[in-house]
Amino acid sequence: MKKALPYFTLCFALLLSSFMFRPLAEGYRVGDKAADFKLKNIDGKMVSLADNKAAKGYIVVFTCNTCPYAKAYENRIIQLNQKYAPQGYPVVAINPNDPNVAPGDSFEAMKTKKYAFPYLIDETQQVAKAYGATRTPHLYVLKRQGDDFVVSYIGAIDDNSEDAKMVKTKYVENAMNEIMAGKPASTSSTKAIGCTIKWKRA
């Protein structure tokens, strides 16, 4: 038994280390409360979810300048804001990419965008990690419940990243229609299609 003790001690240590070095979380799931953040907008001002007291919720999209998928969806993201911001659900765009890996996604490069909604830089990438974002674009619909914002939809904007005219199912719009009607989204999660987020090198 004494000879076996070091073996069991080693196994326990390895098991413990596997939990210690595992990613802290897989990100938010539908029904989770989203923590607020304070990130810098391209106009230099800090923006948080709490700033807009009139917001019924938000369409939070992780996106960037350089990804071909993000470029393909840019107009559709703009259209989401045009349609839903007047109804209380404005878009908040967040660039999570490390500019050392993707220079075209630097803060200076972001300033070339002239959006009617915030375009924020996630310099530490902590917000993207908290959400569980993995792609650009990766979209989250948040619905206000009291002082909280609850995740109500996660995933893709629609079912055709290549051609907006060929879209058959508009995931976000369908979800938004149900959410604004006081119902849960019947399709509340889809697979985000896009470029992988450019994480900081260790």
Side-chain angles (χ1 to χ4, degrees), residues 91-151:
V91 164
V92 173
I94 301 174
N95 174 14
N97 281 351
D98 178 8
N100 292 315
V101 180
D105 289 323
S106 69
F107 186 67
E108 288 304 312
M110 289 171 61
K111 290 181 181 178
T112 63
K113 300 297 183 181
K114 306 299 180 184
Y115 297 138
F117 48 82
Y119 186 25
L120 314 177
I121 185 167
D122 185 10
E123 293 181 283
T124 66
Q125 301 185 321
Q126 290 305 307
V127 176
K129 290 177 181 178
Y131 273 71
T134 59
R135 304 276 173 178
T136 53
H138 203 152
L139 190 142
Y140 296 75
V141 174
L142 310 182
K143 181 179 181 180
R144 184 190 288 276
Q145 291 186 4
D147 293 329
D148 298 318
F149 288 97
V150 176
V151 180

Side-chain angles (χ1 to χ4, degrees), residues 4-191:
L5 189 59
Y7 172 77
F8 288 117
T9 302
L10 177 62
C11 288
F12 179 76
L14 290 173
L15 181 64
L16 183 63
S17 66
S18 72
F19 283 103
M20 290 174 63
F21 294 103
R22 185 178 299 174
L24 293 178
E26 295 179 357
Y28 295 137
R29 297 181 180 180
V30 171
D32 288 347
K33 294 178 182 177
D36 203 353
F37 51 73
K38 190 174 284 289
L39 298 175
K40 185 165 65 172
N41 190 20
I42 52 176
D43 63 2
K45 297 179 180 178
M46 302 302 289
V47 173
S48 69
L49 299 177
D51 290 341
N52 186 348
K53 304 299 182 184
K56 298 176 183 178
Y58 288 97
I59 299 173
V60 176
V61 57
F62 291 88
T63 188
C64 66
N65 285 18
T66 59
C67 169
Y69 291 91
K71 291 179 180 179
Y73 272 114
E74 184 174 29
N75 285 336
R76 279 174 270 184
I77 293 169
I78 291 170
Q79 289 165 5
L80 286 174
N81 187 69
Q82 291 171 340
K83 183 171 184 176
Y84 294 109
Q87 300 182 67
Y89 286 83
V91 164
V92 173
I94 301 174
N95 174 14
N97 281 351
D98 178 8
N100 292 315
V101 180
D105 289 323
S106 69
F107 186 67
E108 288 304 312
M110 289 171 61
K111 290 181 181 178
T112 63
K113 300 297 183 181
K114 306 299 180 184
Y115 297 138
F117 48 82
Y119 186 25
L120 314 177
I121 185 167
D122 185 10
E123 293 181 283
T124 66
Q125 301 185 321
Q126 290 305 307
V127 176
K129 290 177 181 178
Y131 273 71
T134 59
R135 304 276 173 178
T136 53
H138 203 152
L139 190 142
Y140 296 75
V141 174
L142 310 182
K143 181 179 181 180
R144 184 190 288 276
Q145 291 186 4
D147 293 329
D148 298 318
F149 288 97
V150 176
V151 180
S152 301
Y153 172 83
I154 301 172
I157 294 172
D158 55 43
D159 66 352
N160 196 314
S161 60
E162 296 180 4
D163 189 345
K165 295 179 181 178
M166 298 299 291
V167 169
K168 294 180 180 178
T169 306
K170 297 182 177 181
Y171 300 129
V172 173
E173 291 196 26
N174 291 346
M176 286 300 303
N177 291 338
E178 293 172 317
I179 291 165
M180 292 190 300
K183 305 173 185 177
S186 53
T187 299
S188 59
S189 181
T190 59
K191 182 179 179 180

